[in-house]
Amino acid sequence: MQENGSSVWLNGSLIPWHEAKVSLHAHTLHYGLGVFEGVRYYKTVDGHTAVFRLADHIKRLYASAHIVGLNIPYPSTEITGATLELVRRNAFEEGYIRHLVFLDEGVMGIYAEQNPVSVAISTWKWGAYLGQEGKDLGARLMTSTFVRQHVNASMTKAKVCGQYVNSVLAKWEAIKHGFDEALMLDVEGFVAEASGENAFIVREGVLKTPPLMGVLPGITRDSIMAIAKEAGFTIKEERLTRDELYIADEMFLCGTAAEVTPVRELDGRRVGNGEVGKVTRFLSERFHDVVQAKIERYKGWLTLI
Ligand SMILES: *Cc1c(COP(=O)(O)O)cnc(C)c1O
């Protein structure tokens, strides 16, 4: 299990981890209508701690809540301040921050608009999400038998708790079949994303990723695109078929948890030469330089603690 931060922020107070309690009748626990964020913070080259793209994550948290009709009862400045205070208090050099907005105890029926909305912020230590081997050598993926939900069945621009049932089914299936991660197709059969990461391929020097239409607008996806663009790569956001992935020169996944994770195999087929590709390695290293404040032009993405 991961090491949890000793304090959490819950509904306006910083309290010890073990004192943070939730009601058994919290609505979200039963029906999944809640939203969340995942943010990472890093140790910089000069020994500080910096939160990566915090303002963008907070903005998406409020957007997610708005999409599903939850009203966060705190101004974003308070949530931002609480996040920084918590990171300071929990004193990990590097870690992961989870914001959770959930519908609390009240009526138990589906229509529970009057139930109070609770907000929790917690931290934990998180290493390589798809394992160190996946990060170093590349992950092995299978195309899931579970389809990514239709854009009118789930809300693809929001990180909604209950939507993760779809991801969990896909991920567990992949692991049970001996793979590291699931690649999910949309209802029309085009590549969507992995269970919790956006997907990219490199073919003949061009970076390709599915358009935002049916996938979560990943902040890491956006960062990688900015970094790649600055380095002179052509990026195409277009629909991809699974066989285009089979014949890609390189493939990688990206997300806050997974950072940049190369893919070496999909459905039993080697991707590229089965090793971490040159472009993937370049973007991964550049991304780590950015989060460690090694590159001046990206320092605006970092909030120093
Ligand atoms: C969070 C998430 C991602 C990655 O987004 P980041 O902002 O890069 O962390 C990708 N896909 C899904 C489904 C997600 O929930």
Side-chain angles (χ1 to χ4, degrees), residues 60 148 159 164 193 195-198 216 218-220 255-256:
R60 191 173 63 188
R148 203 58 163 164
K159 282 181 96 79
Y164 261 70
E193 57 184 327
S195 66
E197 307 92 32
N198 294 112
L216 187 106
I219 290 167
T220 318
T256 298

Side-chain angles (χ1 to χ4, degrees), residues 183-201:
L183 175 76
M184 304 193 71
L185 306 180
D186 64 23
V187 287
E188 291 178 86
F190 294 96
V191 174
E193 57 184 327
S195 66
E197 307 92 32
N198 294 112
F200 281 84
I201 59 167

Side-chain angles (χ1 to χ4, degrees), residues 45-186:
V45 266
D46 45 4
H48 292 100
T49 294
V51 184
F52 185 59
R53 299 194 68 171
L54 180 61
D56 297 302
H57 282 283
I58 297 291
K59 198 169 158 195
R60 191 173 63 188
L61 181 72
Y62 280 77
S64 293
H66 178 72
I67 287 171
V68 299
L70 289 177
N71 186 24
I72 300 177
Y74 304 94
S76 62
T77 46
E78 186 170 349
I79 299 299
T80 302
T83 304
L84 297 173
E85 182 55 33
L86 186 69
V87 169
R88 216 170 281 132
R89 172 88 60 115
N90 284 345
F92 294 150
E93 274 188 334
E94 302 198 313
Y96 181 89
I97 308 161
R98 170 57 51 83
H99 297 86
L100 180 66
V101 176
F102 59 101
L103 207 47
D104 219 322
E105 183 175 10
V107 303
M108 282 305 287
I110 295 204
Y111 185 70
E113 217 187 17
Q114 302 303 321
N115 287 19
V117 174
S118 282
V119 182
I121 314 172
S122 55
T123 66
W124 64 82
K125 277 192 180 172
W126 226 0
Y129 177 70
L130 290 165
Q132 201 55 46
E133 186 186 314
K135 188 117 190 162
D136 295 341
L137 302 177
R140 296 174 52 252
L141 268 55
M142 71 171 270
T143 301
S144 185
T145 65
F146 295 100
V147 170
R148 203 58 163 164
Q149 292 166 69
H150 184 269
V151 292
N152 281 328
S154 69
M155 299 288 108
T156 58
K157 303 287 175 281
K159 282 181 96 79
V160 181
C161 300
Q163 261 164 224
Y164 261 70
V165 172
N166 185 235
S167 293
V168 171
L169 289 171
K171 176 92 186 186
W172 288 19
E173 177 192 45
I175 303 279
K176 281 185 181 143
H177 285 81
F179 295 89
D180 304 312
E181 179 58 286
L183 175 76
M184 304 193 71
L185 306 180
D186 64 23

Side-chain angles (χ1 to χ4, degrees), residues 184-251:
M184 304 193 71
L185 306 180
D186 64 23
V187 287
E188 291 178 86
F190 294 96
V191 174
E193 57 184 327
S195 66
E197 307 92 32
N198 294 112
F200 281 84
I201 59 167
V202 183
R203 237 192 125 194
E204 282 155 15
V206 175
L207 274 157
K208 294 185 183 181
T209 191
L212 282 183
M213 206 88 72
V215 302
L216 187 106
I219 290 167
T220 318
R221 177 188 183 277
D222 180 74
S223 308
I224 292 297
M225 285 170 66
I227 291 167
K229 200 167 166 195
E230 188 226 329
F233 287 99
T234 302
I235 306 154
K236 289 190 177 160
E237 294 180 75
E238 60 181 37
R239 288 179 128 186
L240 300 170
T241 56
R242 62 196 279 180
D243 56 0
E244 186 159 3
L245 273 47
Y246 294 160
I247 55 172
D249 300 322
E250 302 181 24
M251 179 176 172

Side-chain angles (χ1 to χ4, degrees), residues 7-60:
S7 295
V8 305
W9 187 93
L10 181 62
N11 292 330
S13 319
L14 274 168
I15 56 174
W17 163 260
H18 57 268
E19 284 177 21
K21 302 285 188 225
V22 175
S23 165
L24 185 58
H25 283 178
H27 196 272
T28 303
L29 187 60
H30 298 254
Y31 307 117
L33 189 87
V35 296
F36 69 96
E37 266 307 319
V39 188
R40 271 193 193 264
Y41 56 99
Y42 294 90
K43 188 177 174 196
T44 65
V45 266
D46 45 4
H48 292 100
T49 294
V51 184
F52 185 59
R53 299 194 68 171
L54 180 61
D56 297 302
H57 282 283
I58 297 291
K59 198 169 158 195
R60 191 173 63 188

